Amino acid sequence: MDKKGFPMKILIVDDDPDQRELLKGFLDRQGYETLTAGDGETALHLLKREMVQLVLLDHRMPGLTGDAVLAKIRETNPTQRVIMITAFGDVDMAVNAMKMGACEFLEKPVDLSLLLKRIQQAEQAVAVEEDVALVSEAVDESPLPLKIVAESRAMKDVLSLIRRMAGSEWPVLISGETGTGKQLAAHLIYLLSPRCDRPFLVVNCAAIPENLFESELFGHLKGSFTGALNNRKGRFELSDGGTLMLDEIGEMPLSLQPKLLRAVQDGKISRVGSENEIDVDVRLISVTNRDLKAMAEKGQFRDDLFYRIRVLEIEIPPLRQRREDIPALLDFFLGRYATSKVRFSPDAVDQLIKYPFPGNVRELEHMVQRAVTLSRGNVITQQDLPDEIRHFQTVTRGGTLVEKLEAVEREMILSALEKSDWVQTRAADRLGISERVLRYKMKKSGIQKRQFI
Ligand SMILES: Nc1ncnc2c1ncn2[C@@H]1O[C@H](COP(=O)(O)OP(=O)(O)OP(=O)(O)O)[C@@H](O)[C@H]1O
Ligand SMILES: [Mg+2]
């Protein structure tokens, strides 16, 4: 990995002097600059004085524990990178520390080559933060195994996250509105992962009748229920060694969630009608367009399962928050669906960029398919667009000067709010007005707290 001319500074915190020396010796030889601390207090003290890019933190220490040190670090520096080093097999601790915001875990005894890989990943992430443009250029150089349009900063960040997550074994949760490209992202993770030559299976949890769910996922024995005529493997067994994507995981019946938890946590399943446990080695990618966290809080989804499946998390932003992708997506789908040299007229593209696409990329894709089929010439004009797009925000065109100005103002405010994720202070900054004035204007234009235009 490119060290960009400066060695990363790493703080090793461990009460065991042998372990400290081992890690220090190894990292020094790799060309990193290292500091060591024998207890949490010393570590926190050092962190106040030194600019450290990464902390390797032992979990079990007398005095301040790893958890306590991590909590203190988070108070003063929420973005400090920390790799927690935990006792072998202590998954509960790992999940707990993940909730507290540790970046990664390694189990003892530390596998040095894995440690180096994690450090290199952290190094890359640090570099991304320090020089986003330069790094994304370097990362973007290796070609992707499938075509995915990413012109916007937001999608470039998603891609960079995918590239970094693909190599690890932790479960991933991908969330986002309908049609944003979640399945595409899951597929890309699989293709970039070391498991790319093993099976990739997709189960849509919304499509399986509840009474067949358990058998579908975990298999069954002959005669275990009416209609079970033969022994049958479930999706977990079939994807052994590979990757399993559970689409719409929010629809997973609560009654089955403990069994899924056991599979994710311990890699053990049992077929319906059987007492025998079977070991499976499956990387899980869960996908949802629902707010699983809110569901977990309301008891509609198991809390413990939620934390296990979203150790790594990717949120794909809706298309209206990354409108720079729209022109590139239009070209991409024209290339896919148009036989001749069909293109969109500039005013059609303008109108499409304004439209909020509630169905996201899929809606755009269908729109292109339809426009290509219906278009008479080689140019698709605004008139050829579907009504809901053509008539969207026509208010900006007709009317008096005052009406037009109000419409423009309203549009600018909505756009600033969207770009700022509806954080009003940031939107006000963008518009160059105070937050108070923004609130006044929002009220005047009838803009509610969060509304989808
Ligand atoms: N960035 C992109 N570049 C190219 N094609 C994309 C991109 N994002 C999505 N698509 C395409 O848009 C369509 C919808 O994507 P996908 O099925 O992955 O969405 P989804 O989020 O899983 O939707 P749903 O929630 O409805 O299941 C697919 O044909 C996919 O290939
Ligand atoms: Mg999907």
Side-chain angles (χ1 to χ4, degrees):
M1 185 130 324
D2 178 16
K3 295 221 171 66
K4 293 181 71 216
F6 59 88
M8 187 154 86
K9 204 183 276 184
I10 303 175
L11 171 62
I12 303 160
V13 192
D14 201 306
D15 58 307
D16 173 359
D18 291 343
Q19 176 80 0
R20 271 200 318 268
E21 279 313 304
L22 171 85
L23 292 177
K24 181 174 167 44
F26 174 71
L27 294 174
D28 286 347
R29 278 197 301 284
Q30 300 294 328
Y32 294 105
E33 202 178 315
T34 51
L35 299 166
T36 55
D39 59 73
E41 297 282 359
T42 316
L44 291 170
H45 193 65
L46 265 171
L47 281 172
K48 279 198 196 119
R49 285 186 315 169
E50 299 270 350
M51 200 22 211
V52 166
Q53 274 88 31
L54 178 69
V55 182
L56 298 185
L57 184 58
D58 183 29
H59 182 242
R60 197 172 303 166
M61 291 188 294
L64 278 183
T65 62
D67 279 349
V69 177
L70 180 59
K72 287 247 190 268
I73 292 177
R74 284 282 164 267
E75 272 173 27
T76 47
N77 184 357
T79 60
Q80 174 72 60
R81 273 164 213 287
V82 179
I83 296 181
M84 189 80 99
I85 301 189
T86 70
F88 177 73
D90 195 349
V91 184
D92 284 315
M93 178 268 121
V95 169
N96 193 29
M98 187 59 87
K99 283 193 218 172
M100 290 171 61
C103 303
E104 282 285 353
F105 311 92
L106 287 175
E107 286 175 333
K108 273 187 178 173
V110 177
D111 172 342
L112 291 178
S113 67
L114 195 60
L115 173 66
L116 189 59
K117 221 160 102 188
R118 295 275 181 273
I119 291 179
Q120 286 170 345
Q121 283 166 354
E123 204 170 15
Q124 180 177 327
V126 168
V128 168
E129 278 157 20
E130 287 178 357
D131 191 349
V132 176
L134 209 88
V135 170
S136 64
E137 211 173 276
V139 169
D140 285 347
E141 264 167 8
S142 66
L144 286 174
L146 60 80
K147 177 71 188 152
I148 176 160
V149 171
E151 288 296 316
S152 60
R153 181 76 262 151
M155 270 316 276
K156 286 199 166 109
D157 288 348
V158 166
L159 279 190
S160 144
L161 208 60
I162 287 178
R163 283 184 193 269
R164 280 177 283 139
M165 286 179 176
S168 94
E169 290 285 304
W170 293 101
V172 183
L173 176 66
I174 303 177
S175 60
E177 288 180 14
T178 177
T180 44
K182 299 184 294 295
Q183 178 143 2
L184 197 63
H187 195 205
L188 187 56
I189 292 178
Y190 158 70
L191 289 175
L192 290 171
S193 77
R195 293 174 179 246
C196 62
D197 54 351
R198 310 304 305 277
F200 175 66
L201 269 72
V202 176
V203 177
N204 184 346
C205 299
I208 308 173
E210 181 153 357
N211 57 341
L212 294 181
F213 222 111
E214 186 171 358
S215 151
E216 187 68 25
L217 285 185
F218 305 109
H220 62 242
L221 290 189
K222 182 178 173 180
S224 54
F225 54 90
T226 325
L229 303 176
N230 293 300
N231 289 345
R232 185 167 179 265
K233 285 185 180 179
R235 301 299 177 109
F236 265 92
E237 266 180 89
L238 291 170
S239 51
D240 194 18
T243 307
L244 178 63
M245 170 179 144
L246 291 182
D247 203 358
E248 308 208 29
I249 192 154
E251 310 304 319
M252 162 93 39
L254 266 171
S255 59
L256 267 188
Q257 292 184 12
K259 206 162 168 178
L260 177 60
L261 182 65
R262 174 98 171 118
V264 187
Q265 187 173 307
D266 307 316
K268 291 196 186 300
I269 58 146
S270 56
R271 292 188 188 177
V272 176
S274 163
E275 301 278 295
N276 279 348
E277 288 209 313
I278 305 170
D279 287 319
V280 285
D281 163 29
V282 172
R283 182 180 195 192
L284 192 71
I285 303 183
S286 311
V287 174
T288 184
N289 56 18
R290 305 184 59 179
D291 185 349
L292 277 194
K293 188 159 197 267
M295 287 178 71
E297 275 158 15
K298 286 193 217 127
Q300 295 159 348
F301 197 87
R302 281 186 73 115
D303 194 52
D304 45 7
L305 180 61
F306 170 64
Y307 284 108
R308 299 283 156 147
I309 61 172
R310 67 122 219 201
V311 175
L312 301 173
E313 199 173 16
I314 297 181
E315 202 180 326
I316 308 200
L319 191 53
R320 64 181 173 281
Q321 283 173 14
R322 46 180 170 106
R323 295 180 197 252
E324 304 93 300
D325 288 337
I326 293 175
L329 283 166
L330 293 173
D331 285 345
F332 174 71
F333 289 121
L334 278 179
R336 179 179 286 177
Y337 298 114
T339 40
S340 58
K341 275 212 152 318
V342 181
R343 62 184 174 83
F344 285 91
S345 70
D347 64 337
V349 175
D350 279 353
Q351 185 63 13
L352 286 162
I353 292 176
K354 280 189 209 141
Y355 180 66
F357 284 104
N360 295 294
V361 182
R362 182 176 299 103
E363 182 182 0
L364 183 146
E365 179 176 3
H366 288 165
M367 184 279 299
V368 176
Q369 269 177 301
R370 199 191 93 127
V372 164
T373 319
L374 298 182
S375 75
R376 284 165 300 256
N378 271 347
V379 181
I380 303 166
T381 65
Q382 213 171 5
Q383 295 312 311
D384 302 322
L385 300 177
D387 286 351
E388 67 278 14
I389 300 181
R390 193 152 47 99
H391 296 310
F392 180 73
Q393 280 184 0
T394 42
V395 59
T396 47
R397 271 174 240 119
T400 65
L401 180 64
V402 173
E403 278 167 1
K404 280 190 183 182
L405 288 176
E406 275 175 2
V408 170
E409 182 175 281
R410 185 184 147 86
E411 210 178 296
M412 282 179 72
I413 291 174
L414 279 171
S415 150
L417 283 164
E418 268 173 28
K419 286 185 186 143
S420 321
D421 239 354
W422 289 74
V423 178
Q424 293 183 9
T425 15
R426 296 217 312 261
D429 270 355
R430 257 176 199 280
L431 291 162
I433 55 178
S434 72
E435 206 183 333
R436 201 172 57 83
V437 171
L438 174 65
R439 270 201 301 272
Y440 165 76
K441 286 185 182 294
M442 281 171 70
K443 204 167 156 207
K444 199 180 80 182
S445 313
I447 300 174
Q448 307 281 316
K449 222 168 169 341
R450 185 187 268 277
Q451 84 181 31
F452 295 109
I453 49 172

